[in-house]
């Protein structure tokens, strides 16, 4: 469920484009105006604004934003422009860029989270659109880049390629017999500390999300524990941690994203890239569910933690995308 508060009536794309152009004039951009316009528009409306801006001013809107970003030195201001650029992108274009960036990072466990989120928390048609956008933007397939990424070792690489290559059945049909059989296969692999078993990868990369929910429910009924708890208690490898994220993103994405937000704000400092990615990518998808999960698990709100850990324009864009929350 989206957290975006779209005004009524909505200004025309041309009016919005002219408002953005005005906000970008001068030495210091009017960030409040940019947030007021862009953070209250849907993906389709933002796309129309980009077209109107390019037509009126003969310059891509994202280029105007990137020029601003290139001149920034203050970290908070840099974070604002990164967030506004990601938000203004088409969702598939955004995810393609996030995956491309993740595949080029080193020594950063968060790159695996990006790959799992895009592969598993997307609906089938969106994932196809991401793959198409990736090919258009970077001249090769995301599967090709994943398979040749030196930072990824087997069997993790095999699982990620399988997940990003999937095209799942999108209906609600569930086969109880398949759920029973595959719950048993998953249990055997996890309890033998073999989460990388071929059957585990096959099940997670091919079954529909309703079928997986049924399988994990049967797992819990037959074995008395949740599959995520068993992975946590029995397996400690990087593969197992990534598998846990995949299970959550496939069947309960709000749990994964609530944990990511919390991880980004706890302790000293804030992991701004992680926080930005989660808020921007989920604002139009399931932010309301994420906020409910966050409150239930951490006894506070996303809004409170964003206010405590961010400032200025960066805080404003995040709060606008998170939406209203009761204290």
């Amino acid at each position: 469920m989206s957290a975006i508060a779209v005004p009524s009536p909505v200004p025309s794309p041309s009016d919005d484009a002219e408002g953005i152009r005005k906000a970008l004039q001068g030495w210091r951009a009017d960030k409040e105006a940019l947030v007021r316009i862009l953070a209250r528009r849907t993906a389709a409306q933002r796309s129309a604004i980009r077209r109107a801006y390019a037509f009126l001013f003969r310059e891509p809107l994202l280029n105007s934003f990137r020029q601003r970003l290139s001149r920034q030195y203050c970290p908070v201001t840099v974070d604002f422009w990164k967030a506004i650029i990601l938000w203004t992108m088409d969702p598939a274009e955004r995810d393609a860029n996030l995956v491309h960036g993740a595949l080029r990072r080193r020594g950063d466990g968060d790159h695996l989270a990006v790959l799992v989120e895009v592969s598993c928390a997307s609906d089938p048609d969106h994932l196809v659109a991401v793959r198409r956008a990736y090919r258009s933007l970077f001249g090769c397939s995301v599967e090709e880049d994943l398979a040749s990424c030196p930072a990824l070792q087997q069997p993790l690489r095999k699982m990620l390629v399988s997940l990003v290559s999937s095209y799942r059945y999108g209906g609600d049909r569930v086969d109880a017999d398949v759920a029973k059989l595959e719950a048993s296969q998953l249990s055997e692999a996890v309890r033998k500390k073999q989460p990388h078993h071929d059957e585990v990868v096959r099940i997670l990369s091919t079954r529909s999300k309703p079928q997986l929910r049924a399988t994990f429910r049967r797992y819990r009924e037959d074995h008395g524990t949740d599959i995520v708890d068993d992975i946590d208690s029995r397996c400690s490898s990087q593969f197992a941690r990534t598998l846990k994220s995949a299970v959550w993103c496939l069947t309960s994405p709000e749990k994964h994203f609530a944990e990511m937000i919390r991880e980004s704000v706890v302790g000293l400092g804030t992991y701004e890239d992680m926080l930005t990615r989660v808020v921007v990518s989920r604002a139009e998808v399931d932010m309301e569910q994420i906020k409910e999960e966050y409150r239930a698990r951490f006894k506070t709100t996303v809004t409170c933690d964003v206010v405590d850990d961010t400032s200025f324009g960066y805080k404003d864009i995040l709060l606008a995308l998170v939406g209203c929350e009761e204290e």
Side-chain angles (χ1 to χ4, degrees):
M1 185 176 178
S2 174
I4 304 306
V6 179
S8 181
V10 181
S12 71
S14 294
D15 286 346
D16 279 340
E18 289 174 353
I20 290 170
R21 186 69 169 188
K22 181 179 178 181
L24 292 173
Q25 301 305 307
W27 180 71
R28 180 174 295 179
D30 185 348
K31 298 183 182 66
E32 184 178 332
L34 294 175
V35 171
R36 186 171 59 250
I37 296 171
L38 288 169
R40 301 184 67 194
R41 303 293 186 271
T42 66
Q45 290 163 348
R46 298 192 304 276
S47 180
I49 292 169
R50 286 175 66 181
R51 291 194 298 272
Y53 189 96
F55 177 78
L56 290 170
F57 306 111
R58 299 295 185 264
E59 180 183 17
L61 178 55
L62 292 181
N63 283 4
S64 295
F65 290 162
R66 288 181 177 122
Q67 288 172 13
R68 283 283 179 170
L69 174 60
S70 69
R71 299 199 296 266
Q72 303 304 319
Y73 300 97
C74 173
V76 173
T77 306
V78 168
D79 293 330
F80 170 83
W81 289 108
K82 285 182 177 180
I84 209 78
I85 288 169
L86 280 177
W87 176 246
T88 306
M89 287 180 177
D90 171 80
E93 175 190 13
R94 176 201 307 141
D95 282 351
N97 276 277
L98 288 171
V99 169
H100 188 258
L103 288 173
R104 277 145 186 78
R105 291 213 295 270
R106 299 289 186 272
D108 177 2
D110 187 48
H111 74 289
L112 294 176
V114 175
L115 301 174
V116 170
E117 289 163 12
V118 173
S119 300
C120 300
S122 303
D123 67 48
D125 290 335
H126 178 72
L127 183 54
V128 170
V130 172
R131 294 201 296 258
R132 187 181 300 117
Y134 193 100
R135 187 170 59 249
S136 175
L137 289 167
F138 306 113
C140 59
S141 71
V142 64
E143 297 93 333
E144 179 183 355
D145 274 358
L146 257 175
S148 61
C149 179
L152 299 174
Q153 303 300 317
Q154 300 291 17
L156 183 58
R157 181 189 299 171
K158 178 180 179 180
M159 181 177 73
L160 290 170
V161 171
S162 296
L163 290 173
V164 82
S165 304
S166 69
Y167 185 76
R168 303 174 192 275
Y169 165 67
D172 295 326
R173 188 176 67 248
V174 168
D175 188 320
D177 292 334
V178 169
K180 179 180 180 180
L181 172 63
E182 295 185 342
S184 176
Q185 291 172 330
L186 290 172
S187 174
E188 182 177 3
V190 172
R191 290 166 190 261
K192 287 183 177 180
K193 299 185 179 181
Q194 296 176 340
H196 54 276
H197 194 280
D198 285 350
E199 285 301 288
V200 176
V201 174
R202 177 189 64 79
I203 292 167
L204 263 68
S205 61
T206 62
R207 295 303 184 195
S208 71
K209 293 182 180 182
Q211 183 67 49
L212 288 170
R213 291 188 191 98
T215 297
F216 298 150
R217 185 165 56 249
R218 186 59 188 253
Y219 185 107
R220 187 166 55 250
E221 292 169 356
D222 289 351
H223 305 289
T225 54
D226 189 273
I227 186 172
V228 168
D229 294 335
D230 273 355
I231 293 171
D232 268 343
S233 64
R234 297 171 182 270
C235 311
S236 58
S237 65
Q238 186 180 56
F239 183 96
R241 292 191 295 273
T242 307
L243 179 64
K244 171 189 167 183
S245 295
V247 168
W248 270 356
C249 284
L250 285 164
T251 59
S252 304
E254 68 279 0
K255 293 182 179 180
H256 169 81
F257 289 110
E259 189 169 275
M260 290 293 98
I261 292 175
R262 187 66 172 176
E263 184 177 328
S264 73
V265 298
V266 296
L268 295 175
T270 305
Y271 193 167
E272 288 83 1
D273 285 350
M274 181 189 294
L275 180 60
T276 298
R277 181 185 81 245
V278 173
V279 171
V280 167
S281 65
R282 307 311 291 185
E284 292 182 283
V285 182
D286 55 1
M287 182 55 71
E288 295 301 327
Q289 294 93 318
I290 292 169
K291 290 188 292 188
E292 291 174 8
E293 176 71 18
Y294 198 91
R295 183 191 293 269
R297 288 179 64 186
F298 305 116
K299 311 307 177 188
T300 185
T301 65
V302 175
T303 297
C304 284
D305 280 349
V306 167
V307 168
D308 288 345
D309 281 76
T310 61
S311 57
F312 304 113
Y314 180 53
K315 177 180 70 175
D316 294 339
I317 181 68
L318 293 181
L319 290 178
L321 299 182
V322 167
C324 297
E325 278 191 281
E326 295 181 3
E327 296 299 327

